Amino acid sequence: MPLLVTDAVVLHAFDYSETSRILRLATREAGVQSVLARGARRSQRRYGSALDLFAEGAAQIYTKPGRDLQTLSAFDVARARPALATDLDRFAGASCVAELMLRVATADAQPALYDALVAALDGVADAAPADAREAAIAGAWRLVAELGFAPAVDVCSSCHAPVAAGEPAMFSHPAGGVLCVRCARLNPGSRNLPAEARRALRGWLEGRRTELDDGAARAHQRLLREFLREHLADGRALRAFELWERGRWGGVVVTAEGG
Ligand SMILES: [Zn+2]
């Protein structure tokens, strides 16, 4: 079996049998991989804290083509990100970033996407608890941009006419961004995006951060979830996003830990 050595981040983990755990890893070299960590429940010494959610390090994975489940032989943790586990605002935000990554990633190498994931998790881990929501929203939009389906912010997403910066604009999820006045009339389901929200969205897509009050943060959480639901197009609920939006942190923890 070929041995893959790659940087990796733990996105999901659950117990398997009496002794082992199954992990979903985002890797730099091979996209998202499901791996079996044999003995992980029995021997703390073998993996230590490396298999905790959001930990990052060098993974050694034995791969067999055509298999859905590969075998993890070692994981040397470089960054455990304990800050994500000890604060519920950070944990909920990081769980959304992980959920998005799990939904979009393939088993192909996407190093730029991997880097955006790592930057998003670091942004949430380094944020003060009050800023964790903004950090997660920012990180998620950067992932969307890296995936190539960023919403149009400065040109009409339907006819591509410029839309004046610094002004509110109508936003259509199906069209994929803001609309000019003429196209907005033809898309009655679109919603108003205030000038400040447009500025924040443009900044996140380009990798900048901003400050949000609670009301604006809630509006942006909803905009992000609705946009993802429209464009992921597989009909599956975004559970971590829904719980995050409702502020049901306890539910988020149960989901992430319990598989
Ligand atoms: Zn237009």
Side-chain angles (χ1 to χ4, degrees):
M1 278 192 287
L3 179 65
L4 170 71
V5 181
T6 177
D7 291 339
V9 175
V10 179
L11 295 183
H12 190 70
F14 56 95
D15 290 338
Y16 176 78
S17 81
E18 302 264 302
T19 57
S20 301
R21 276 169 83 71
I22 288 176
L23 312 175
R24 298 263 281 153
L25 297 178
T27 74
R28 182 187 288 280
E29 316 294 333
V32 170
Q33 297 282 334
S34 294
V35 300
L36 178 65
R38 279 205 184 87
R41 296 187 67 192
R42 195 165 45 195
S43 166
Q44 272 290 315
R45 201 178 47 203
R46 182 160 179 200
Y47 295 106
S49 66
L51 305 188
D52 290 344
L53 274 180
F54 314 125
E56 181 183 1
Q60 296 182 27
I61 304 169
Y62 284 104
T63 59
K64 243 187 181 175
R67 280 266 180 92
D68 287 336
L69 186 62
Q70 312 296 350
T71 302
L72 183 71
S73 68
F75 194 115
D76 295 322
V77 70
R79 186 133 199 231
R81 297 195 179 89
L84 294 177
T86 53
D87 177 83
L88 289 173
D89 290 297
R90 294 197 197 106
F91 186 86
S95 297
C96 291
V97 170
E99 179 173 68
L100 172 58
M101 187 72 179
L102 286 170
R103 286 287 285 278
V104 296
T106 64
D108 300 321
Q110 293 173 288
L113 186 63
Y114 180 85
D115 290 340
L117 169 74
V118 166
L121 293 177
D122 283 343
V124 178
D126 295 342
D131 300 328
R133 227 175 352 167
E134 188 273 337
I137 294 168
W141 280 122
R142 275 299 301 150
L143 282 180
V144 168
E146 205 54 63
L147 287 159
F149 65 100
V153 178
D154 293 310
V155 297
C156 176
S157 53
S158 183
C159 75
H160 307 293
V163 178
E167 290 179 19
M170 297 307 282
F171 187 98
S172 165
H173 290 297
V178 298
L179 295 168
C180 68
V181 173
R182 190 181 65 85
C183 292
R185 283 197 209 103
L186 305 172
N187 287 267
S190 45
R191 57 145 66 207
N192 183 53
L193 195 63
E196 182 55 29
R198 232 180 115 195
R199 191 194 61 76
L201 179 56
R202 181 188 299 113
W204 289 323
L205 292 168
E206 294 170 359
R208 290 190 302 277
R209 298 281 299 277
T210 189
E211 284 188 12
L212 296 179
D213 63 29
D214 183 62
R218 284 174 187 280
H220 276 294
Q221 283 177 286
R222 184 175 159 205
L223 183 80
L224 173 61
R225 177 182 52 78
E226 289 177 348
F227 186 82
L228 294 176
R229 192 179 57 193
E230 178 76 32
H231 292 277
L232 294 181
D234 57 7
R236 287 162 58 201
L238 288 155
R239 289 197 62 203
F241 280 88
E242 289 169 6
L243 295 167
W244 185 43
E245 219 173 309
R246 281 184 239 146
R248 286 177 53 191
W249 312 130
V252 175
V253 173
V254 168
T255 300
E257 292 292 324

